[in-house]
């Protein structure tokens, strides 16, 4: 129930500016209050009124003023000055909130990232540097801390895009009573040592890859099915409507040699056929069916360059109706074929093969 039990928040911004705030409803419900402070010690205290008030629903709820020393005394009174509601003496150095880190640099080598910043001018030993990072595929931030003013970690995938942010923190309880940290520095995006505008492109590229693979998996079976249907359709078309041969290929000489002139082509073709018949005309053989008496007469006669051959079994048995073949006599030492038989002749002798 004493005056120190009132909820008061004290922040010393980098040992440059003080901010004291309080709960208005607890301190003086329905009434406004005034604030005064001093950095002097002993009996020679000079109390200064608040230069800048923080308002809450038109009531004074805080005060901003310059930090002027390590020892601070504050007093809160009713606006009419009738009585003091709250007073406190404190060490301002135990309530320091550091500024954001300045000139932050990143060094990326293989899978290790090291982050550093400029050293503050005051109380470097009371500060630690905190690094947080995550990829777009991580839900939570990963945190690493080290003495001011560099911190690093390893295990980074050079193919992924990472978000990084850093801040300074005061050591508790050696330097601060309250665990104050600076605001986060600007968030930056890196991949394999290259600074990017954002990691959205990384997600888009991953999404595009998935879309392309999905399309390929959908298109390939469709193409396979279409090729099968096309083959079946071609077979059906050939069976139902057979292809009409193109005369250009059947009568190639008609179009290549005669430029499609049918009359010229047919005349030349007839002439060639007549020549072929004349060149390959075979000697005519005479097949006779005579009686045995006529055979004897003909056998007595000597026909120059012509002999009679009997191939029938009836002739061998002296059948009066033997079949005889009379052909011009081939030259010696040759082979002649007659009616499916082969005969070897040497001068006046012949042998049936």
């Amino acid at each position: 129930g004493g005056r120190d039990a009132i909820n008061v928040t004290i922040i010393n911004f980098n040992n440059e500016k003080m901010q004291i705030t309080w709960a208005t409803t607890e301190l003086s419900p329905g009434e406004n209050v005034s604030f005064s402070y001093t950095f002097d010690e002993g009996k020679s205290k000079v109390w200064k009124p608040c230069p800048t008030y923080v308002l809450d629903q038109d009531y004074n709820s805080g005060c901003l003023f310059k930090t002027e020393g390590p020892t601070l005394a504050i007093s809160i009174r009713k606006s009419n000055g009738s009585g003091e509601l709250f007073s406190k003496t404190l060490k301002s150095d135990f309530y320091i909130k550091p500024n954001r880190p300045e000139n932050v640099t990143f060094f990326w080598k293989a899978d290790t990232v090291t982050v550093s910043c400029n050293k503050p001018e005051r109380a470097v030993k009371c500060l630690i540097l905190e690094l947080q990072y995550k990829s777009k595929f991580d839900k939570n931030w990963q945190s690493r801390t080290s003495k001011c003013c560099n911190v690093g970690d390893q295990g980074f995938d050079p193919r992924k895009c990472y978000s990084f942010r850093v801040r300074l923190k005061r050591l508790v309880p050696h330097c601060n009573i309250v665990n104050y940290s600076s605001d986060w520095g600007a968030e930056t995006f890196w991949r394999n040592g290259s600074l990017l505008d954002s990691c959205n492109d990384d997600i888009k590229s991953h999404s595009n890859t998935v879309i392309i693979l999905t399309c390929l998996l959908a298109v390939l079976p469709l193409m396979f099915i279409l090729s099968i249907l096309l083959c079946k359709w071609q077979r059906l078309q050939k069976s139902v409507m057979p292809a009409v041969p193109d005369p250009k290929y059947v009568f190639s000489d008609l179009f290549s040699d005669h430029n499609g002139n049918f009359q010229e082509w047919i005349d030349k073709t007839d002439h060639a056929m007549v020549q072929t018949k004349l060149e390959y005309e075979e000697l005519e053989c005479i097949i006779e069916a005579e009686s045995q008496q006529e055979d004897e007469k003909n056998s007595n006669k000597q026909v120059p360059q012509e002999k009679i051959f009997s191939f029938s079994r009836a002739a061998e048995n002296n059948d009066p109706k033997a079949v005889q073949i009379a052909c011009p006599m081939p030259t010696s030492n040759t082979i002649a074929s007659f009616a499916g038989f082969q005969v070897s002749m040497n001068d006046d002798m012949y042998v049936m093969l």
Side-chain angles (χ1 to χ4, degrees), residues 180-236:
Y180 281 149
S181 302
S182 71
D183 295 333
W184 289 106
E187 187 175 351
T188 56
F189 308 94
W190 295 79
R191 180 172 58 203
N192 197 20
S194 299
L195 180 64
L196 305 177
D197 294 334
S198 68
C199 287
N200 294 330
D201 296 337
D202 195 37
I203 297 177
K204 288 180 180 179
S205 61
H206 181 74
S207 301
N208 292 337
T209 304
V210 173
I211 292 172
I212 292 173
L213 291 176
T214 304
C215 292
L216 287 176
L217 292 175
V219 170
L220 289 177
L222 182 61
M223 293 179 64
F224 180 72
I225 294 172
L226 290 177
S227 61
I228 293 175
L229 293 177
L230 181 61
C231 292
K232 290 186 176 181
W233 168 251
Q234 289 178 350
R235 290 180 182 178
L236 179 63

Side-chain angles (χ1 to χ4, degrees), residues 35-294:
F35 179 86
S36 59
Y37 68 95
T38 182
F39 286 94
D40 298 330
E41 297 181 14
K43 297 180 180 180
S44 61
K45 291 181 180 180
V46 178
W47 292 91
K48 298 179 181 179
C50 177
T52 305
Y53 279 104
V54 179
L55 300 179
D56 180 15
Q57 297 180 358
D58 297 331
Y59 290 98
N60 297 334
S61 62
C63 180
L64 292 172
F65 54 94
K66 185 178 179 181
T67 303
E68 299 174 0
T71 303
L72 171 65
I74 59 175
S75 176
I76 301 175
R77 295 176 178 271
K78 290 184 179 181
S79 58
N80 56 13
S82 60
E84 188 177 53
L85 300 175
F86 177 80
S87 65
K88 186 177 181 65
T89 301
L90 53 95
K91 291 291 186 180
S92 60
D93 292 346
F94 290 165
Y95 298 88
I96 293 177
K97 179 178 180 178
N99 289 338
R100 294 177 180 178
E102 297 179 352
N103 296 331
V104 179
T105 57
F106 287 80
F107 179 72
W108 191 309
K109 184 178 181 180
D111 66 339
T112 303
V113 175
T114 304
V115 182
S116 59
C117 67
N118 288 352
K119 291 184 178 181
E121 296 179 357
R122 302 175 183 176
V124 177
K125 294 182 179 180
C126 289
L127 296 174
I128 60 174
L129 183 63
E130 182 181 9
L131 168 67
Q132 285 191 345
Y133 61 87
K134 69 174 181 178
S135 70
K136 287 298 181 179
F137 307 104
D138 298 329
K139 294 182 179 180
N140 301 319
W141 288 93
Q142 303 294 323
S143 183
R144 297 293 182 271
T145 58
S146 180
K147 293 182 180 181
C148 188
C149 289
N150 60 74
V151 61
D153 198 8
Q154 59 184 4
F156 292 92
D157 189 346
R159 297 170 298 179
K160 290 183 180 180
C161 177
Y162 291 90
S163 303
F164 292 93
R165 64 182 184 180
V166 292
R167 67 180 178 180
L168 290 171
K169 298 179 67 175
R170 289 276 292 188
L171 290 174
V172 177
H174 304 288
C175 299
N176 258 36
I177 295 177
V178 184
N179 188 11
Y180 281 149
S181 302
S182 71
D183 295 333
W184 289 106
E187 187 175 351
T188 56
F189 308 94
W190 295 79
R191 180 172 58 203
N192 197 20
S194 299
L195 180 64
L196 305 177
D197 294 334
S198 68
C199 287
N200 294 330
D201 296 337
D202 195 37
I203 297 177
K204 288 180 180 179
S205 61
H206 181 74
S207 301
N208 292 337
T209 304
V210 173
I211 292 172
I212 292 173
L213 291 176
T214 304
C215 292
L216 287 176
L217 292 175
V219 170
L220 289 177
L222 182 61
M223 293 179 64
F224 180 72
I225 294 172
L226 290 177
S227 61
I228 293 175
L229 293 177
L230 181 61
C231 292
K232 290 186 176 181
W233 168 251
Q234 289 178 350
R235 290 180 182 178
L236 179 63
Q237 189 177 19
K238 287 181 180 180
S239 61
V240 176
M241 296 180 293
V244 179
D246 191 350
K248 182 177 181 181
Y249 301 100
V250 178
F251 306 101
S252 58
D253 54 346
L254 172 62
F255 296 93
S256 61
D257 299 338
H258 303 285
N259 295 325
N261 191 332
F262 180 78
Q263 188 62 42
E264 181 182 344
W265 173 76
I266 198 64
D267 292 341
K268 188 172 181 179
T269 303
D270 289 343
H271 180 65
M273 291 177 64
V274 171
Q275 283 187 345
T276 303
K277 288 181 179 180
L278 291 176
E279 289 177 0
Y280 294 96
E281 184 175 2
E282 296 180 355
L283 297 175
E284 182 179 1
C285 295
I286 301 173
I287 301 175
E288 299 178 348
E290 297 180 351
S291 64
Q292 186 176 3
Q293 295 178 356
E294 292 175 347

Side-chain angles (χ1 to χ4, degrees), residues 1-33:
R3 292 179 295 176
D4 291 340
I6 297 175
N7 187 15
V8 176
T9 303
I10 303 168
I11 302 175
N12 183 359
F13 291 101
N14 201 40
N15 210 22
E16 296 173 356
K17 183 181 290 187
M18 299 291 299
Q19 175 179 289
I20 312 295
T21 58
W22 56 86
T24 305
T25 56
E26 294 179 5
L27 189 61
S28 178
E31 293 185 22
N32 215 342
V33 297

